[in-house]
Amino acid sequence: MVSRHSLELAVPGLAVGALAGVMAGGLTLFAGQPGGATFLALPLALFGGLYGMLLGHGPFRPGTFAPAGLLWLPAFPLSRLAQESVAATGALADGVLPFLAYQAMVSLGFAIGFLWLHERLMPYWLLRVRARGHNPRADQLLAHYVRSAPA
């Protein structure tokens, strides 16, 4: 079972993923394409929350790209595939494998943007979590951010 402490760490990733999906939806509507991109917000938010939870459990360290890139390498194509299965926009016309390969290439660019925004939001969120009560994982992450701040 997922603890409250882990869920608190997932919030910034959830927010960044949802924001990215909603922005993609708005951009595709602005470009005159079908509005199916809003269905991208849910899987991106879930994988973003997973990133925050993994960040709090130790396998991922704040500020490093490789773990985020490795998470988004399969997560972004799967999110796009889920979006295409709900709201078909014709992107699968060439087949599933070319679609997934292209999305895997795009995922690393997404990972850079996700990590950049997540690293800007997470310390402020950790300060709020710390002010509300005791969360040992949040305290450890905040201490890491404070040690890394001068660099």
Side-chain angles (χ1 to χ4, degrees):
M1 177 121 194
V2 179
S3 70
R4 178 184 64 97
H5 299 289
S6 296
L7 290 176
E8 285 180 336
L9 296 178
V11 171
L14 283 165
V16 172
L19 178 66
V22 168
M23 286 179 63
L27 289 173
T28 56
L29 286 174
F30 182 73
Q33 298 297 320
T38 54
F39 292 111
L40 188 58
L42 180 62
L44 289 181
L46 292 175
F47 283 117
L50 176 64
Y51 175 79
M53 291 170 65
L54 291 173
L55 194 63
H57 283 82
F60 289 7
R61 286 188 355 194
T64 56
F65 174 72
L70 288 174
L71 173 76
W72 287 109
L73 192 61
F76 188 79
L78 289 174
S79 299
R80 285 283 290 123
L81 188 61
Q83 174 202 10
E84 283 297 317
S85 64
V86 172
T89 61
L92 291 173
D94 293 334
V96 175
L97 289 180
F99 172 79
L100 291 176
Y102 177 74
Q103 297 307 320
M105 289 187 291
V106 171
S107 71
L108 296 179
F110 178 80
I112 291 169
F114 174 86
L115 185 63
W116 182 84
L117 191 53
H118 189 271
E119 290 295 308
R120 299 305 173 275
L121 295 177
M122 188 63 144
Y124 294 107
W125 177 252
L126 292 173
L127 287 170
R128 291 185 67 132
V129 168
R130 186 177 191 190
R132 284 195 308 232
H134 185 68
N135 183 337
R137 290 191 177 111
D139 291 341
Q140 291 170 354
L141 272 176
L142 184 59
H144 185 276
Y145 279 107
V146 168
R147 283 191 309 270
S148 301

